[in-house]
Amino acid sequence: MENSENLSNTISWYRSPLKGELLSDLNQRSDWLGFLQAGGHLGLIFLTGAAAFYAEGRVPLLVLLFIIFMHGTFYTFLLNGFHELCHSSVFKTKAFNTLFLRIFSFLGWYDPVMFWTSHNKHHKHTLHQPDDLEVVLPMKLTLKEYIRSAIVDPWEFYDTFRRTLRFSLGKIVKEDLIGNWEVDDIFPPSEVEKRRQLINWARILIVGHGTIAVVAIYTGLWLLPVLITFGRFYGRWLQWLCGRTQHTGLTDNVPDFRLCSRTVILSPFVRFLYWHMNYHIEHHMYAAVPCYNLGRLHKVIKYDLPYCPRGLYAAWKKIVEIRRKQNVDPEYQYLPELPAH
């Protein structure tokens, strides 16, 4: 889009200064750390899935449902792994990054071509409309939306399946939304190759998850599709709370990631699940830094950052306070206090 290219040349983003050698060190990818993060996350999902299979018929139904719900809780964070793998910053070896990207994309019904095309705009033009429509402020936050996402969200599955099936049949209509963009804005009809990639990946998803359904029917293993095909669509309570802290209640149309992104200090386990995206200011400032190095980056530049809430409770307390003020005054925008140097 011509407008996007013009804007990318005019935004002079502020970034906390780093020495070249230090930034080069922080940018280093590691296959070992990549396997710990990606393999550890998949291993955790495998354990909860195996626990559900073992528990079936051996424990009361409510216990089994709780295990399945916890499986979904961990499964929904595949979105964050998929996001990092799209950045190609997890593994030093490109083939490993590609392999795990395909795995995460399949498990979560995600399309890497679709996501990266839009997400790249989000990084270039963060919260500058109309060039960033991945996140639009003010974000709608309702208790009803949270409860639906927190427990089970059949509507999201329906929308995802319907779009994927339509793409697999070669039908891409401009009303399909990617974030808040119409698909033609991201993939105009002239982008024949990219549209072909969308169609091919949609076919892989339909055939792959269809095969899982056939195997489940043939073998009677009803948990297979519950744990794999539908795993993304329930138990999102924690991922939703983490993900919505990134930009909600902050300021748009400013050239400073410290004002339009939020860093939250989380416990080591939640930080692992969330793929360290709690360090969100740092991620936007230096998007090439692997997620497992963002904690180090935070320590180096925290002198230059606004107050970073400790824990989700503190973060959401502030977000609710901001949203209440915006409900009274729609023009109100919260500006975090920046350190004085």
Side-chain angles (χ1 to χ4, degrees), residues 195-262:
R195 284 189 165 223
R196 184 180 294 115
Q197 291 176 25
L198 293 180
I199 292 169
N200 290 340
W201 182 249
R203 289 171 177 170
I204 290 173
L205 291 177
I206 292 296
V207 171
H209 286 282
T211 301
I212 291 173
V214 170
V215 171
I217 293 171
Y218 181 77
T219 63
L221 297 174
W222 64 272
L223 276 176
L224 270 179
V226 170
L227 298 174
I228 301 175
T229 299
F230 300 109
R232 163 188 161 185
F233 304 101
Y234 58 86
R236 197 182 170 198
W237 65 279
L238 183 57
Q239 200 280 334
W240 193 98
L241 288 174
C242 289
R244 292 299 192 280
T245 64
Q246 293 177 0
H247 303 285
T248 305
L250 295 174
T251 307
D252 55 14
N253 295 307
V254 291
D256 192 331
F257 294 120
R258 300 173 299 173
L259 302 178
C260 62
S261 304
R262 178 182 288 107

XYZ file of all heavy atoms in Angstrom, residues 195-262:
560
model
N -1.642 -15.225 -2.601
C -2.986 -15.791 -2.504
C -2.945 -17.311 -2.698
O -3.674 -18.042 -2.050
C -3.912 -15.133 -3.529
C -4.354 -13.729 -3.113
C -5.424 -13.178 -4.022
N -6.049 -12.009 -3.393
C -7.347 -11.770 -3.370
N -8.184 -12.619 -3.947
N -7.821 -10.698 -2.769
N -2.078 -17.770 -3.582
C -1.926 -19.211 -3.785
C -1.402 -19.867 -2.504
O -1.831 -20.974 -2.128
C -0.986 -19.485 -4.947
C -0.862 -20.989 -5.277
C 0.078 -21.241 -6.441
N -0.470 -20.679 -7.672
C 0.080 -19.674 -8.342
N 1.199 -19.113 -7.890
N -0.466 -19.224 -9.448
N -0.489 -19.183 -1.815
C 0.028 -19.731 -0.553
C -1.079 -19.827 0.499
O -1.144 -20.803 1.262
C 1.170 -18.856 -0.048
C 2.426 -18.920 -0.903
C 3.496 -17.960 -0.426
O 3.537 -17.574 0.731
N 4.379 -17.562 -1.334
N -1.951 -18.820 0.566
C -3.091 -18.871 1.476
C -3.966 -20.083 1.177
O -4.391 -20.811 2.099
C -3.928 -17.597 1.370
C -3.342 -16.270 1.833
C -4.359 -15.150 1.639
C -2.910 -16.337 3.283
N -4.242 -20.292 -0.088
C -5.107 -21.405 -0.501
C -4.460 -22.744 -0.184
O -5.113 -23.648 0.370
C -5.416 -21.282 -2.002
C -6.309 -20.055 -2.258
C -6.085 -22.551 -2.532
C -6.456 -19.695 -3.737
N -3.180 -22.898 -0.486
C -2.500 -24.173 -0.247
C -2.427 -24.515 1.233
O -2.633 -25.669 1.630
C -1.093 -24.140 -0.848
C -1.104 -24.143 -2.373
O -2.104 -24.526 -2.987
N -0.012 -23.713 -2.990
N -2.120 -23.489 2.067
C -2.036 -23.778 3.499
C -3.417 -24.102 4.070
O -3.547 -24.988 4.929
C -1.414 -22.609 4.261
C -1.270 -22.915 5.720
C -1.958 -22.356 6.752
C -0.411 -23.896 6.304
N -1.586 -22.916 7.950
C -0.626 -23.859 7.708
C 0.521 -24.790 5.793
C 0.063 -24.703 8.597
C 1.220 -25.621 6.673
C 0.977 -25.567 8.058
N -4.448 -23.429 3.590
C -5.814 -23.735 4.038
C -6.166 -25.176 3.700
O -6.818 -25.875 4.496
C -6.806 -22.770 3.394
N -5.743 -25.658 2.560
C -6.013 -27.050 2.176
C -5.295 -28.031 3.095
O -5.843 -29.074 3.454
C -5.607 -27.268 0.721
C -6.546 -26.567 -0.262
C -6.039 -26.597 -1.700
N -7.028 -25.980 -2.588
C -6.795 -25.683 -3.867
N -5.599 -25.948 -4.402
N -7.747 -25.130 -4.600
N -4.065 -27.685 3.474
C -3.336 -28.544 4.414
C -4.080 -28.618 5.748
O -4.222 -29.695 6.346
C -1.905 -28.014 4.613
C -1.081 -28.219 3.340
C -1.227 -28.698 5.800
C 0.288 -27.579 3.368
N -4.561 -27.478 6.230
C -5.293 -27.457 7.497
C -6.568 -28.292 7.413
O -6.865 -29.088 8.325
C -5.640 -26.018 7.887
C -4.480 -25.111 8.297
C -4.991 -23.695 8.579
C -3.755 -25.661 9.517
N -7.334 -28.140 6.358
C -8.583 -28.870 6.224
C -8.327 -30.372 6.105
O -8.981 -31.188 6.785
C -9.380 -28.361 5.001
C -9.867 -26.925 5.239
C -10.556 -29.287 4.701
C -10.848 -26.768 6.390
N -7.373 -30.752 5.270
C -7.066 -32.180 5.105
C -6.489 -32.759 6.389
O -6.879 -33.856 6.827
C -6.083 -32.393 3.927
C -5.600 -33.838 3.896
C -6.755 -32.033 2.614
N -5.573 -32.035 7.029
C -4.930 -32.548 8.244
C -5.905 -32.728 9.390
O -5.964 -33.798 10.014
N -6.694 -31.695 9.677
C -7.645 -31.805 10.781
C -8.822 -32.705 10.415
O -9.421 -33.344 11.292
C -8.118 -30.417 11.204
C -7.084 -29.648 11.965
N -6.812 -29.884 13.292
C -6.231 -28.659 11.576
C -5.850 -29.073 13.696
N -5.470 -28.322 12.676
N -9.138 -32.786 9.126
C -10.147 -33.743 8.686
C -9.686 -35.169 8.929
O -10.483 -36.033 9.336
N -8.406 -35.419 8.692
C -7.841 -36.746 8.949
C -7.923 -37.095 10.428
O -8.232 -38.238 10.799
C -6.383 -36.799 8.465
O -6.336 -36.510 7.063
C -5.779 -38.169 8.730
N -7.634 -36.118 11.279
C -7.744 -36.352 12.723
C -9.175 -36.734 13.090
O -9.411 -37.655 13.889
C -7.302 -35.092 13.500
C -5.805 -34.866 13.344
C -7.672 -35.205 14.984
C -5.308 -33.560 13.925
N -10.144 -36.062 12.490
C -11.555 -36.377 12.767
C -11.903 -37.785 12.296
O -12.602 -38.538 13.006
C -12.458 -35.355 12.075
N -11.422 -38.181 11.119
C -11.700 -39.523 10.593
C -11.086 -40.593 11.496
O -11.727 -41.608 11.812
C -11.173 -39.659 9.149
C -11.234 -41.107 8.677
C -11.976 -38.763 8.209
N -9.837 -40.367 11.912
C -9.169 -41.315 12.809
C -9.936 -41.433 14.125
O -10.116 -42.532 14.668
C -7.712 -40.877 13.065
C -7.088 -41.728 14.179
C -6.896 -41.007 11.794
N -10.401 -40.294 14.644
C -11.155 -40.313 15.905
C -12.447 -41.114 15.765
O -12.813 -41.895 16.654
C -11.468 -38.883 16.350
N -13.146 -40.944 14.641
C -14.394 -41.675 14.419
C -14.117 -43.172 14.262
O -14.822 -44.019 14.815
C -15.119 -41.118 13.175
C -15.593 -39.680 13.446
C -16.298 -42.008 12.780
C -16.124 -38.963 12.215
N -13.074 -43.490 13.526
C -12.752 -44.897 13.244
C -12.291 -45.632 14.498
O -12.643 -46.793 14.724
C -11.679 -44.970 12.162
C -11.291 -46.379 11.782
C -12.112 -47.149 10.956
C -10.099 -46.941 12.243
C -11.760 -48.443 10.606
C -9.735 -48.236 11.905
C -10.579 -48.975 11.079
O -10.222 -50.271 10.739
N -11.496 -44.959 15.321
C -10.909 -45.606 16.504
C -11.712 -45.391 17.780
O -11.476 -46.071 18.778
C -9.482 -45.087 16.744
O -9.534 -43.675 17.014
C -8.599 -45.362 15.539
N -12.618 -44.429 17.748
C -13.365 -44.095 18.962
C -12.586 -43.209 19.912
O -13.021 -42.981 21.051
N -11.444 -42.697 19.471
C -10.623 -41.817 20.320
C -11.139 -40.382 20.196
O -10.537 -39.525 19.548
C -9.156 -41.909 19.912
C -8.493 -43.277 20.076
C -7.077 -43.270 19.508
C -8.463 -43.686 21.544
N -12.246 -40.105 20.838
C -12.881 -38.799 20.713
C -12.028 -37.670 21.275
O -12.204 -36.500 20.912
C -14.250 -38.818 21.403
C -14.189 -39.049 22.888
C -14.185 -40.243 23.542
C -14.108 -38.040 23.900
N -14.103 -40.064 24.900
C -14.056 -38.719 25.146
C -14.080 -36.648 23.883
C -13.977 -38.047 26.358
C -13.999 -35.978 25.098
C -13.953 -36.666 26.323
N -11.082 -38.012 22.136
C -10.229 -36.969 22.711
C -9.248 -36.377 21.693
O -8.762 -35.253 21.883
C -9.444 -37.531 23.896
C -10.165 -37.554 25.246
C -9.300 -38.211 26.296
C -10.553 -36.147 25.681
N -8.948 -37.114 20.617
C -7.982 -36.606 19.642
C -8.375 -35.231 19.101
O -7.588 -34.284 19.207
C -7.812 -37.609 18.496
C -6.730 -38.682 18.648
C -6.732 -39.591 17.423
C -5.361 -38.054 18.838
N -9.553 -35.081 18.501
C -9.911 -33.745 18.009
C -10.137 -32.743 19.131
O -9.871 -31.547 18.961
C -11.191 -33.986 17.203
C -11.748 -35.262 17.734
C -10.564 -36.084 18.131
N -10.620 -33.207 20.283
C -10.821 -32.291 21.407
C -9.494 -31.663 21.824
O -9.402 -30.462 22.076
C -11.472 -33.021 22.599
C -11.458 -32.141 23.845
C -12.900 -33.419 22.259
N -8.443 -32.469 21.875
C -7.146 -31.999 22.357
C -6.320 -31.297 21.284
O -5.463 -30.468 21.607
C -6.346 -33.176 22.919
C -6.956 -33.893 24.128
C -6.124 -35.122 24.483
C -7.059 -32.955 25.324
N -6.548 -31.621 20.003
C -5.722 -31.055 18.930
C -6.507 -30.043 18.096
O -6.190 -28.849 18.084
C -5.161 -32.172 18.027
C -4.314 -33.142 18.852
C -4.334 -31.570 16.898
C -3.808 -34.342 18.071
N -7.564 -30.525 17.430
C -8.303 -29.652 16.520
C -8.979 -28.501 17.244
O -9.011 -27.368 16.753
C -9.342 -30.473 15.736
O -8.660 -31.471 14.972
C -10.168 -29.592 14.811
N -9.533 -28.770 18.433
C -10.262 -27.738 19.171
C -9.449 -27.129 20.306
O -9.953 -26.281 21.039
C -11.564 -28.319 19.736
C -12.496 -28.842 18.681
C -12.705 -30.202 18.544
C -13.144 -27.983 17.810
C -13.552 -30.700 17.561
C -13.996 -28.460 16.829
C -14.202 -29.836 16.693
N -8.176 -27.546 20.455
C -7.384 -27.111 21.606
C -7.219 -25.609 21.728
O -7.093 -25.074 22.834
N -7.218 -24.923 20.612
C -7.022 -23.468 20.616
C -8.258 -22.721 21.101
O -8.155 -21.548 21.493
C -6.680 -23.019 19.191
C -6.842 -21.527 18.930
C -6.683 -21.197 17.464
N -7.254 -19.891 17.150
C -7.341 -19.379 15.937
N -6.894 -20.077 14.904
N -7.879 -18.198 15.726
N -9.403 -23.370 21.115
C -10.658 -22.645 21.265
C -11.303 -22.777 22.643
O -12.469 -22.463 22.800
C -11.637 -23.097 20.167
C -11.083 -22.923 18.790
C -10.568 -24.008 18.088
C -11.030 -21.671 18.197
C -10.026 -23.849 16.823
C -10.488 -21.499 16.926
C -9.991 -22.599 16.233
N -10.557 -23.237 23.624
C -11.060 -23.246 24.995
C -9.892 -23.035 25.961
O -8.735 -23.230 25.608
C -11.805 -24.551 25.313
C -10.989 -25.821 25.133
C -10.174 -26.312 26.150
C -11.059 -26.546 23.944
C -9.441 -27.468 25.996
C -10.330 -27.714 23.770
C -9.518 -28.166 24.804
O -8.777 -29.317 24.633
N -10.221 -22.602 27.172
C -9.187 -22.400 28.188
C -8.280 -21.213 27.938
O -7.121 -21.209 28.347
N -8.819 -20.175 27.297
C -7.971 -19.044 26.918
C -7.877 -17.980 28.009
O -7.374 -16.882 27.776
C -8.539 -18.421 25.626
C -7.573 -17.521 24.884
C -8.229 -16.922 23.655
N -7.411 -15.882 23.062
C -7.860 -14.973 22.207
N -9.138 -15.002 21.839
N -7.074 -14.054 21.718
N -8.351 -18.284 29.188
C -8.467 -17.274 30.248
C -7.145 -16.560 30.538
O -7.098 -15.336 30.673
C -9.006 -17.932 31.522
C -8.084 -18.957 32.113
C -7.938 -20.257 31.725
C -7.159 -18.755 33.184
N -6.977 -20.892 32.485
C -6.479 -19.994 33.389
C -6.833 -17.657 33.987
C -5.507 -20.149 34.375
C -5.851 -17.810 34.970
C -5.211 -19.049 35.144
N -6.057 -17.313 30.607
C -4.765 -16.714 30.971
C -4.120 -16.041 29.768
O -3.563 -14.943 29.890
C -3.844 -17.784 31.551
C -2.480 -17.310 32.054
C -2.629 -16.224 33.111
C -1.663 -18.490 32.602
N -4.199 -16.667 28.612
C -3.606 -16.071 27.413
C -4.279 -14.752 27.071
O -3.617 -13.790 26.665
C -3.711 -17.060 26.237
C -2.737 -16.785 25.098
C -3.197 -15.672 24.176
O -4.388 -15.389 24.050
N -2.237 -15.021 23.510
N -5.596 -14.678 27.252
C -6.341 -13.442 26.996
C -5.870 -12.338 27.930
O -5.624 -11.207 27.497
C -7.829 -13.719 27.190
C -8.764 -12.667 26.694
C -9.429 -12.638 25.512
C -9.178 -11.468 27.403
N -10.218 -11.508 25.416
C -10.081 -10.779 26.561
C -8.875 -10.927 28.639
C -10.681 -9.571 26.943
C -9.456 -9.717 29.014
C -10.350 -9.061 28.175
N -5.733 -12.662 29.205
C -5.293 -11.660 30.183
C -3.883 -11.170 29.877
O -3.582 -9.984 30.044
C -5.345 -12.252 31.597
C -6.732 -12.475 32.205
C -6.612 -13.206 33.543
C -7.476 -11.158 32.390
N -3.021 -12.077 29.432
C -1.654 -11.670 29.083
C -1.642 -10.830 27.807
O -1.076 -9.735 27.767
C -0.778 -12.912 28.897
S -0.380 -13.813 30.401
N -2.284 -11.335 26.763
C -2.206 -10.699 25.458
C -2.811 -9.313 25.407
O -2.298 -8.424 24.718
N -3.880 -9.095 26.157
C -4.558 -7.796 26.098
C -3.805 -6.695 26.844
O -4.163 -5.529 26.738
C -5.970 -7.918 26.669
C -6.933 -8.750 25.844
C -7.147 -8.172 24.456
N -8.274 -8.784 23.763
C -8.256 -9.937 23.135
N -7.122 -10.647 23.116
N -9.328 -10.427 22.527
N -2.763 -7.041 27.577
C -1.992 -6.000 28.266
C -1.034 -5.280 27.323
O -0.528 -4.199 27.657
C -1.162 -6.586 29.425
O -0.179 -7.491 28.896
C -2.044 -7.310 30.431
N -0.796 -5.829 26.136
C 0.283 -5.332 25.284
C 0.107 -3.864 24.892
O 1.068 -3.090 24.917
C 0.395 -6.207 24.034
C 0.859 -7.614 24.333
C 0.894 -8.501 23.096
O 0.556 -8.055 21.990
N 1.305 -9.745 23.251
N -1.118 -3.476 24.522
C -1.348 -2.117 24.037
C -2.595 -1.465 24.622
O -2.787 -0.256 24.440
C -1.475 -2.117 22.506
C -0.299 -2.699 21.789
N 0.897 -2.034 21.657
C -0.130 -3.903 21.179
C 1.757 -2.797 20.988
N 1.158 -3.936 20.687
N -3.434 -2.223 25.291
C -4.718 -1.704 25.756
C -4.540 -0.525 26.713
O -3.730 -0.572 27.640
C -5.518 -2.804 26.480
O -5.648 -3.931 25.605
C -6.895 -2.304 26.871
N -5.294 0.529 26.466
C -5.283 1.684 27.353
C -4.121 2.631 27.150
O -3.976 3.596 27.913
N -3.311 2.387 26.138
C -2.146 3.248 25.908
C -2.442 4.269 24.807
O -3.591 4.507 24.470
C -0.929 2.378 25.603
C -0.511 1.489 26.792
C 0.601 0.533 26.403
C -0.075 2.334 27.990
N -1.424 4.860 24.244
C -1.588 6.009 23.360
C -1.280 5.627 21.921
O -0.283 4.948 21.655
C -0.650 7.143 23.799
O -0.853 7.407 25.181
C -0.926 8.410 23.005
N -2.131 6.077 20.995
C -1.849 5.822 19.585
C -1.258 7.071 18.926
O -1.223 8.157 19.506
C -3.106 5.349 18.843
C -4.277 6.309 18.978
O -4.062 7.461 19.414
O -5.412 5.908 18.657
N -0.721 6.848 17.730
C -0.147 7.934 16.919
C 1.010 8.661 17.615
O 1.134 9.885 17.540
C -1.235 8.936 16.511
C -2.268 8.301 15.590
O -1.929 7.724 14.572
N -3.526 8.382 15.979
N 1.833 7.901 18.328
C 3.044 8.457 18.931
C 4.244 7.633 18.458
O 4.133 6.426 18.286
C 2.976 8.460 20.476
C 1.957 9.464 20.966
C 2.667 7.064 21.020
N 5.410 8.273 18.266
C 6.577 7.564 17.746
C 7.472 6.999 18.854
O 8.698 7.013 18.732
C 7.295 8.646 16.939
C 7.025 9.892 17.731
C 5.644 9.732 18.310
N 6.880 6.527 19.923
C 7.643 6.056 21.074
C 6.988 4.789 21.592
O 5.868 4.824 22.107
C 7.665 7.129 22.168
C 8.690 6.822 23.262
O 8.967 5.636 23.505
O 9.191 7.779 23.893
N 7.676 3.660 21.456
C 7.120 2.377 21.881
C 6.842 2.337 23.388
O 6.035 1.543 23.848
C 8.064 1.236 21.507
C 8.221 1.031 20.029
C 9.466 1.150 19.430
C 7.131 0.727 19.235
C 9.615 0.956 18.059
C 7.267 0.531 17.863
C 8.518 0.644 17.275
N 7.493 3.203 24.148
C 7.270 3.234 25.593
C 5.892 3.787 25.931
O 5.379 3.554 27.044
C 8.350 4.083 26.274
C 9.772 3.566 26.057
C 10.799 4.543 26.618
N 10.711 5.849 25.968
C 11.397 6.926 26.370
N 12.196 6.837 27.416
N 11.269 8.066 25.732
N 5.284 4.500 24.988
C 3.972 5.103 25.200
C 2.838 4.291 24.586
O 1.678 4.489 24.946
C 3.946 6.521 24.632
C 4.992 7.489 25.191
C 4.870 8.844 24.498
C 4.848 7.648 26.699
N 3.175 3.412 23.651
C 2.116 2.656 22.971
C 2.201 1.152 23.223
O 1.377 0.397 22.703
C 2.125 2.934 21.466
S 3.638 2.452 20.611
N 3.171 0.721 24.020
C 3.304 -0.695 24.380
C 3.532 -0.790 25.883
O 3.963 0.167 26.522
C 4.473 -1.355 23.632
O 4.325 -1.205 22.237
N 3.254 -1.968 26.429
C 3.361 -2.130 27.886
C 4.190 -3.366 28.224
O 3.962 -4.441 27.674
C 1.964 -2.272 28.504
C 1.974 -2.487 30.022
C 0.569 -2.679 30.584
N -0.218 -1.449 30.600
C -1.224 -1.194 29.778
N -1.574 -2.092 28.863
N -1.895 -0.053 29.854
